[in-house]
Amino acid sequence: MAATKTQAKAGNSAKLTRPVANGKHAKVSSGAISVPYQKMFIGGRFVDSVSGKTFETLNPATGNVICQVAEGDKADIDLAVKAARKAFESGPWSKMHGPDRARLLNKLADAIEANREELAKLESLDNGKPYSDSFNIDLPLTVKCFRYFAGWADKVMGKTIPIEGDFLCYTRHEPIGVVGQIIPWNFPILMLAWKWGPALACGNTVVLKPAEQTPITALRIAKLAHEVGFPAGVINVVPGYGPTAGAALSSHMDVDKIGFTGETTTGKLVMTAAAQSNLKRVSLELGGKSPNIVFADADIDAAIEGAYFGLFFNQGQCCVAGSRLYVEESIYDEFVKKMTAKAKSRKVGDPFDAAFEQGPQVSQEQMDKVLGYIDSGKKEGAKMLTGGGRVGSNGYFVEPTIFVDVKEEMKIAREEIFGPVMSIMKFKHMDEIIERANKTMFGLAAAVWTKDVKKALRMSNALKAGTVWVNCYDVFDAAAPFGGFKMSGIGREMGEYALTQYTEVKTVIVAM
Ligand code: ADP
C-alpha cells in the first residue's frame, strides 16, 4: 500500500488514505477478466446448489451481469454445516495444533498476496470500488489480518488460577465449534479476513455466507485456501440471499456461533434467530452515524483532508463514515467553503481508470436509497451546496453531495445513508457537542480534531463509541480492536479481543 509519511512512521498502522495514482496502475483493463459460473464451496468441493438455482451478480459500473452464481438455501447450509461439523469433530483439523494452523493461515496470506492483482480486479468488478483502492488498501489489509491471526494461533491459552482448598484450577480457551459468518458487500474480502482470521486461529470451522451483491471473491479465496491445504470442511462458502441462506445459518441448531456484519435491523433478526434456535453465541458489527468533530484550534487542512476521506472513501459505503461532521462556529464558513470546493472536484467514474477517485454505489437499490436520502434532506429544509444527483445513466454512480443547515432531527442527520452524502453542522461549546454527538442510537466510531491534548482526551473519554480517532480518521489495524457501543454491535473484532469471540472458556478443577 502506498504509505504516507506519517503512516510509514506509525509502522504497522494502515491509514486508509487513498493513494495518489502513480501511473503504475493508471488504467487497468477489467475486460481481461471473464468470470465463469461460480459454484459454492462445501466440504472441500465446488458444487451446485441442491435446488439447482442460480442468481446473477452484476457489475455496478455498468449494470451488466458478470456471471451466474449457485444460489444457496437451507439445504445447502445444512450440507455445509455437516461438513464443518465433521471437520471440527473428527477430521484432520480436530487434531491440528496451533503451529499447524498458523502455518496454514500464513500460507493463505501468501497465496492472497501472490494473487493480489487478480483478487483486486475481481473485487472492483463485483463491488465497484476503484481498483487502486482494492489493490492498495483492501488487499494489503487482508494479508496483514491473516498474518496477524496466524501469529495468535499458537498463543491461545488459559490461566492457572489459585483457588481455596487443595485443588489445581486452570482454564482452557477452546474453539467454540462450527461458526456461521455472514458478511456485507462494502469490503467483501476484508470482512472475510476479519471473520476467518480469528475463527480459524482459534481452531473453529466456518460456514461463510457472503453478500448476494458480491459473492465472487469469497469463492476465489476459498479455492486458494483449499490449494494451500486447509482440510475439507474447515472452510465452506455458501452464496445466497439473506432471508434464505443467511436466516438458515443464523437459526441452524448445529451452528455454535454466528458472527455478523451488516445493518442494525438485520443484526436484530440474526440475534433473534440465534435466541430462538440454540442460543448460539452472537457477535455483531452493525451500523453507525459517526460524529466527526472539528475544533477551531485544529490543523484545518488536515481536518478537511481527514473528514473528506472519512466520508467519501469507498463511495461513502463505510459503517464508520463520518456522516455527522460538526465544525466549531468560528471556522465553520472557511471549512465549508474549502470542503465544498474539494467535493466539487472529486472525480467519479470507471473504477478501473485511476483518473477517478469514486466508483459506483454497489447496486441500483443502494443508489436509489442514497438518492432518496438526498431528496429527504432537501424536503426537510437542509441546504445542498453541491451534488445531489446521479452521474450518467449507466451504472450506479452518485455525485459527492454536501448539505449544510442540517438539523439534528432530520433523517439525513439520524440515519445511516451509506453513500457520498456529507452533512456539515455547526457547534459552539464542548459540553454542547458532547451531548449532541452522543445523542444517537449508534456508537461505532467518532473523531476529534484539535491541537489541545486535554480537549482531545476529554472528548475521547466522553464519546460513546467503540473507536475514537484523534487527528486522524479510518485508521485500522489488525491488532486494534473494532466494534460498537449501543446499537452498533456486540463484541469486538480484530486484535486480541477477537479471540474471545471465537473461544469458550473451560474451567478444570483437579483435586490434588
Ligand atoms: P445491506 O442492506 O447493506 O445489504 P444487510 O444487513 O441486509 O445490509 O446485509 C448484510 C448481510 O446480511 C448480507 O450477507 C445479507 O445477505 C445478510 N442478510 C440479510 N438479511 C438477513 C437475514 N434475515 N438473516 C441473515 N442474514 C441476512
Side-chain angles (χ1 to χ4, degrees):
M1 127 173 236
T4 59
K5 265 191 198 151
T6 5
Q7 193 185 323
K9 268 194 233 147
N12 241 6
S13 295
K15 188 179 178 200
L16 299 187
T17 305
R18 190 178 185 281
V20 177
N22 56 12
K24 199 167 162 218
H25 297 289
K27 175 101 185 167
V28 181
S29 162
S30 62
I33 335 172
S34 116
V35 185
Y37 158 57
Q38 298 286 299
K39 294 185 179 189
M40 58 184 74
F41 186 68
I42 296 178
R45 291 170 53 231
F46 281 94
V47 295
D48 295 315
S49 62
V50 172
S51 68
K53 281 203 279 186
T54 63
F55 67 101
E56 292 172 341
T57 185
L58 305 183
N59 174 352
T62 60
N64 295 337
V65 176
I66 302 172
C67 65
Q68 295 287 328
V69 182
E71 182 185 330
D73 201 340
K74 193 171 179 311
D76 310 281
I77 292 287
D78 268 342
L79 291 176
V81 172
K82 277 199 183 88
R85 175 61 61 196
K86 190 167 161 218
F88 182 74
E89 303 292 350
S90 55
W93 190 248
S94 63
K95 294 174 198 69
M96 215 176 254
H97 295 294
D100 303 318
R101 294 199 302 271
R103 211 167 298 131
L104 280 176
L105 282 165
N106 273 321
K107 278 192 186 171
L108 179 58
D110 292 346
I112 292 171
E113 197 167 46
N115 290 279
R116 177 176 170 189
E117 199 170 312
E118 185 208 349
L119 284 164
K121 279 187 182 176
L122 290 173
E123 192 78 326
S124 289
L125 191 67
D126 212 8
N127 166 283
K129 63 178 74 198
Y131 171 77
S132 63
D133 286 357
S134 298
F135 188 83
N136 292 306
I137 298 175
D138 299 52
L139 265 298
L141 285 175
T142 297
V143 171
K144 266 189 176 175
C145 180
F146 278 116
R147 292 206 172 118
Y148 173 81
F149 283 106
W152 273 116
D154 55 3
K155 298 169 195 72
V156 180
M157 60 185 126
K159 292 180 175 175
T160 312
I161 301 168
I163 61 171
E164 247 183 284
D166 203 8
F167 300 102
L168 164 68
C169 173
Y170 64 93
T171 54
R172 287 166 50 81
H173 293 187
E174 298 185 352
I176 301 178
V178 175
V179 166
Q181 301 179 319
I182 300 174
I183 56 171
W185 44 260
N186 58 342
F187 293 92
I189 297 181
L190 190 58
M191 291 303 103
L192 172 153
W194 287 16
K195 295 273 183 289
W196 285 10
L200 298 170
C202 293
N204 301 278
T205 56
V206 302
V207 176
L208 177 95
K209 192 203 84 62
E212 54 271 33
Q213 297 85 348
T214 53
I216 296 176
T217 44
L219 292 161
R220 182 73 188 94
I221 292 179
K223 185 154 186 279
L224 293 177
H226 182 61
E227 285 164 5
V228 302
F230 275 90
V234 172
I235 284 166
N236 304 274
V237 178
V238 181
Y241 292 97
T244 50
L249 192 56
S250 42
S251 62
H252 203 287
M253 288 301 287
D254 201 31
V255 170
D256 301 303
K257 187 242 154 83
I258 190 98
F260 171 81
T261 299
E263 276 187 50
T264 295
T265 45
T266 319
K268 284 184 172 184
L269 294 176
V270 168
M271 196 163 176
T272 304
Q276 287 175 345
S277 53
N278 60 343
L279 275 182
K280 56 179 67 65
R281 280 79 187 104
V282 177
S283 55
L284 306 170
E285 198 263 275
L286 308 174
K289 191 74 188 172
S290 300
N292 188 4
I293 302 162
V294 185
F295 285 95
D297 63 1
D299 173 339
I300 304 296
D301 289 337
I304 287 174
E305 198 59 48
Y308 173 83
F309 185 77
L311 187 284
F312 292 115
F313 171 59
N314 211 38
Q315 295 64 248
Q317 301 169 145
C318 294
C319 47
V320 293
S323 53
R324 287 188 297 144
L325 178 53
Y326 295 105
V327 181
E328 195 167 352
E329 197 172 31
S330 61
I331 56 159
Y332 183 83
D333 291 343
E334 179 198 350
F335 190 99
V336 167
K337 200 168 143 211
K338 285 186 175 169
M339 183 63 90
T340 308
K342 211 167 156 56
K344 276 186 175 156
S345 70
R346 187 167 176 82
K347 304 221 162 28
V348 182
D350 180 1
F352 286 92
D353 186 337
F356 299 108
E357 299 152 275
Q358 184 176 308
Q361 308 309 119
V362 77
S363 62
Q364 166 105 39
E365 189 190 347
Q366 285 300 318
M367 178 183 74
D368 291 345
K369 200 169 150 188
V370 174
L371 294 174
Y373 274 112
I374 293 174
D375 262 357
S376 94
K378 288 194 271 192
K379 282 197 189 113
E380 289 190 300
K383 186 170 162 197
M384 198 173 71
L385 297 184
T386 185
R390 186 176 174 181
V391 179
S393 53
N394 214 7
Y396 315 127
F397 298 88
V398 175
E399 286 177 322
T401 302
I402 293 185
F403 279 108
V404 291
D405 295 346
V406 177
K407 303 266 175 338
E408 299 287 352
E409 58 278 10
M410 291 179 182
K411 241 169 98 168
I412 54 168
R414 286 185 290 112
E415 296 180 15
E416 188 171 35
I417 299 176
F418 236 62
V421 182
M422 177 182 274
S423 295
I424 316 183
M425 294 174 273
K426 205 183 279 186
F427 74 92
K428 283 188 183 153
H429 308 294
M430 200 191 307
D431 290 338
E432 167 216 338
I433 195 54
I434 290 171
E435 196 191 326
R436 285 171 67 190
N438 285 336
K439 214 170 177 187
T440 164
M441 65 177 187
F442 297 114
L444 194 57
V448 182
W449 299 81
T450 175
K451 284 184 189 148
D452 179 340
V453 176
K454 278 192 203 160
K455 208 184 268 180
L457 295 179
R458 194 176 151 211
M459 289 298 295
S460 333
N461 287 349
L463 289 167
K464 292 185 171 39
T467 297
V468 179
W469 287 297
V470 178
N471 295 330
C472 58
Y473 209 97
D474 271 345
V475 177
F476 284 92
D477 192 286
F482 178 74
F485 280 27
K486 300 193 266 182
M487 284 172 77
S488 287
I490 294 177
R492 293 292 176 272
E493 303 199 272
M494 301 206 285
E496 191 176 354
Y497 294 85
L499 307 177
T500 64
Q501 310 294 323
Y502 288 99
T503 45
E504 287 280 17
V505 176
K506 179 183 282 174
T507 305
V508 182
I509 299 180
V510 185
M512 297 301 286

